[in-house]
Amino acid sequence: MSSINTKYMDEQQGKLHRTLGRLDIVLLTIAAVISIEILGQLSSYGGETFTWLVILVITFLIPYALMFSETGSAFTDEGGCYNWVKRAFGRRVASISTVFYWVTTPVWIGGSMAFLAGETFHQFLLPLDLAGTSGYVFYLAFIWTTVISAIASLRWAKWLPNSGALAKVALLALFVVTTISYGIQHGFSGITAADLNPTLLGLLGVAPLLLFGFLGFEAANGAAGEMKNPQKDVPKGLMQSTFMAACCYLLPILAILLVIPKDNITGVSGLMEAVGEVFVVYGPAAPAMTTIAAVLFVHVLVTQGAAWMIVSDRVQGIAAADGAFFGGFFGKFHRVLGTPIRINLLSGILASAFLIASLSLIDGSSAAVFGVVLTISISTYLLSYLAIIPAAVKLRLTDKATHRPFRVPGRDRWFVILGVICTAWVALGSWVAVFPGTLEGLFGLDYPFVEIWGVDQQTYTTFTLATLGFLAALGIAGFLAGAKLRGQTSLGDKVAVNGGVASDQTALLD
């Protein structure tokens, strides 16, 4: 089969180093997928969060992981989901979906992650002026630590998200065990059986957050060109990661709900509030144990951001090298480090700019800012999957030549059904994230917008749509600017037709 990449993209892939083994894939996926920062936000919806979580594990997480175990082991070029969407729908669609996929990381790190880390550091470690100089210094240091980790060679940088994954599992395990001990000594008083009843209002509240927490199992494929054996390691690694992800959401959320009343849980510090509540079982050692938990929590946030910066920047870097994002300037990989330094720096600049804009343009408490910024990052992320998931389905149906080391059991129609179910969930989450309150109004449900978000609906809608419009325009502009680079194809791109030479294969993907 002829190459479908630009010559420049193939040159950049020649700079990669194969350093990721199966354990690295598992840990990188855990570091990226298990979003510890949303545990408090999820738990604030009360006991029905747990019910909806179980439902989505069965109807979304497992089907989604199966689909991308197959796709990720079959298509193993660096850049992961960019290449899948390009193969299925062409570069135009891939360029826009990849911008939405990539930009989520700097928006998320510069907004919700930085705020949450700062709030935790302020409350449990050292006081900060969160709206002043010390707060800005902390936020910017947080952002650029993740950027530096993405710039470093993956053979060394992988140890940061790896350590974060281990710290994340250890912290959550410690919290769950401590909660059980607390309940035995003091009793459980957080939820009742009636609280577990699912409601439509609860679904519309938790669906975007749960989907945000579950999506990302294909993330490690962003660095597929740096895996030692992706065809064998991806499916096995993702199955192990799926089990870990389900446990790391179900058990801690249940623990939070058991010890803290719903009305006392905030999106900013829900997990750490629960830690402070249950760690009293350690007696005189409680303050020291809480401090250790806070240090681990901040470390987890840094490494989670680093994991996403590493993989999403590679996806966007490959898109740039393939002529889908401003002519290849951002697609240059460092010859020694094997990393896309220019896109790494751009991510850092965008994260810093979004941080400053978030603090300057929205009035309200840190909790209100956290909720709005998190929802905007969810909307960009979820929207990208409206192309990524259908791409996996189309490749299953149309690309019969590519060997698939792992196949989802059953005929093609079962794969299609899984794709339709997953896409429907993502479409619901995307709509609720971009237009909160609209479906509630359609079904006659009360939705106190200002009380929920801390800002009025007009401010929220303006901030969100302006952000999404800018990103769509950025993707279109990036694609148009790459036309010249897309004409520089690999040697294998020219195909003979009737004794002559036809137009290159890359043009067919535009």
Side-chain angles (χ1 to χ4, degrees):
M1 179 178 178
S2 298
S3 172
I4 58 172
N5 306 327
T6 65
K7 180 179 180 180
Y8 188 69
M9 175 179 168
D10 287 342
E11 289 175 353
Q12 302 312 304
Q13 292 193 88
K15 301 175 183 179
L16 303 176
H17 311 288
R18 293 193 178 274
T19 64
L20 296 179
R22 185 180 304 169
L23 180 60
D24 297 318
I25 295 171
V26 172
L27 294 177
L28 183 61
T29 303
I30 291 173
V33 172
I34 302 173
S35 299
I36 197 171
E37 83 286 358
I38 67 172
L39 294 178
Q41 189 90 343
L42 279 170
S43 302
S44 66
Y45 288 91
E48 65 177 304
T49 296
F50 187 79
T51 303
W52 287 118
L53 180 55
V54 172
I55 292 172
L56 262 83
V57 165
I58 297 171
T59 63
F60 179 81
L61 177 60
I62 294 174
Y64 162 71
L66 284 171
M67 289 179 64
F68 285 98
S69 292
E70 174 176 322
T71 305
S73 63
F75 303 95
T76 58
D77 287 340
E78 184 87 353
C81 58
Y82 164 75
N83 287 304
W84 306 338
V85 177
K86 181 183 76 170
R87 284 174 176 269
F89 303 120
R91 281 192 183 84
R92 288 186 181 89
V93 176
S95 64
I96 297 175
S97 69
T98 302
V99 165
F100 275 72
Y101 182 87
W102 156 71
V103 85
T104 295
T105 296
V107 169
W108 174 58
I109 290 174
S112 60
M113 294 289 277
F115 285 125
L116 181 54
E119 187 77 18
T120 303
F121 197 90
H122 170 71
Q123 289 188 12
F124 297 96
L125 298 174
L126 293 174
L128 296 172
D129 180 6
L130 294 177
T133 302
S134 60
Y136 274 87
V137 170
F138 180 90
Y139 296 145
L140 292 173
F142 181 93
I143 290 169
W144 287 94
T145 298
T146 67
V147 174
I148 292 171
S149 70
I151 291 175
S153 173
L154 191 57
R155 70 180 67 182
W156 306 112
K158 68 181 182 181
W159 294 109
L160 184 61
N162 284 3
S163 70
L166 295 174
K168 185 182 297 184
V169 173
L171 175 60
L172 295 177
L174 175 63
F175 171 66
V176 171
V177 170
T178 305
T179 300
I180 294 173
S181 177
Y182 176 90
I184 293 172
Q185 295 182 31
H186 302 279
F188 299 103
S189 59
I191 57 174
T192 64
D195 294 327
L196 297 173
N197 292 332
T199 66
L200 178 59
L201 187 62
L203 170 63
L204 297 178
V206 303
L209 290 167
L210 287 174
L211 292 169
F212 179 82
F214 285 154
L215 289 168
F217 278 90
E218 80 299 323
N221 271 88
E226 296 159 87
M227 295 178 181
K228 295 177 180 178
N229 193 346
Q231 293 191 330
K232 290 185 177 180
D233 292 342
V234 166
K236 293 181 179 179
L238 292 194
M239 290 302 101
Q240 295 169 9
S241 301
T242 301
F243 174 78
M244 292 296 298
C247 291
C248 286
Y249 281 117
L250 288 165
L251 298 181
I253 286 177
L254 180 60
I256 292 174
L257 294 171
L258 287 173
V259 299
I260 296 185
K262 170 185 173 182
D263 294 340
N264 295 340
I265 301 173
T266 70
V268 174
S269 51
L271 178 61
M272 288 307 300
E273 284 177 350
V275 165
E277 185 83 18
V278 302
F279 273 34
V280 296
V281 301
Y282 296 111
M289 291 294 292
T290 302
T291 298
I292 292 172
V295 171
L296 286 175
F297 189 72
V298 173
H299 176 66
V300 165
L301 295 179
V302 173
T303 55
Q304 189 170 323
W308 271 110
M309 192 71 79
I310 288 170
V311 295
S312 65
D313 280 3
R314 280 166 165 77
V315 173
Q316 189 62 36
I318 286 296
D322 200 38
F325 189 69
F326 293 103
F329 175 82
F330 293 110
K332 185 177 180 61
F333 282 63
H334 192 274
R335 186 170 300 278
V336 177
L337 300 177
T339 55
I341 294 179
R342 293 172 179 173
I343 202 72
N344 297 147
L345 294 175
L346 179 60
S347 292
I349 293 170
L350 285 176
S352 302
F354 197 85
L355 167 72
I356 295 170
S358 298
L359 291 171
S360 303
L361 298 178
I362 299 181
D363 295 326
S365 66
S366 59
V369 175
F370 172 82
V372 172
V373 171
L374 177 58
T375 302
I376 294 172
S377 67
I378 287 172
S379 65
T380 59
Y381 186 51
L382 293 181
L383 287 169
S384 70
Y385 282 87
L386 294 177
I388 295 171
I389 295 175
V393 174
K394 185 175 181 182
L395 290 175
R396 169 71 180 252
L397 297 176
T398 61
D399 191 337
K400 302 295 185 180
T402 300
H403 173 61
R404 296 173 183 261
F406 170 81
R407 287 181 67 89
V408 175
R411 297 181 179 179
D412 288 349
R413 66 171 176 266
W414 294 112
F415 195 95
V416 172
I417 290 172
L418 295 182
V420 169
I421 293 172
C422 291
T423 303
W425 274 117
V426 172
L428 173 64
S430 299
W431 182 271
V432 173
V434 176
F435 302 108
T438 55
L439 292 181
E440 289 85 351
L442 181 64
F443 291 102
L445 301 173
D446 181 45
Y447 193 84
F449 200 97
V450 175
E451 181 181 335
I452 292 173
W453 295 106
V455 296
D456 61 77
Q457 190 166 10
Q458 182 178 357
T459 300
Y460 178 96
T461 302
T462 300
F463 196 65
T464 301
L465 293 182
T467 301
L468 297 179
F470 169 78
L471 295 176
L474 182 66
I476 294 170
F479 175 79
L480 295 175
K484 183 177 179 180
L485 181 62
R486 293 196 298 275
Q488 302 171 7
T489 59
S490 296
L491 294 177
D493 287 345
K494 303 295 184 179
V495 278
V497 178
N498 296 328
V501 178
S503 59
D504 61 84
Q505 289 286 90
T506 61
L508 300 178
L509 295 173
D510 285 349

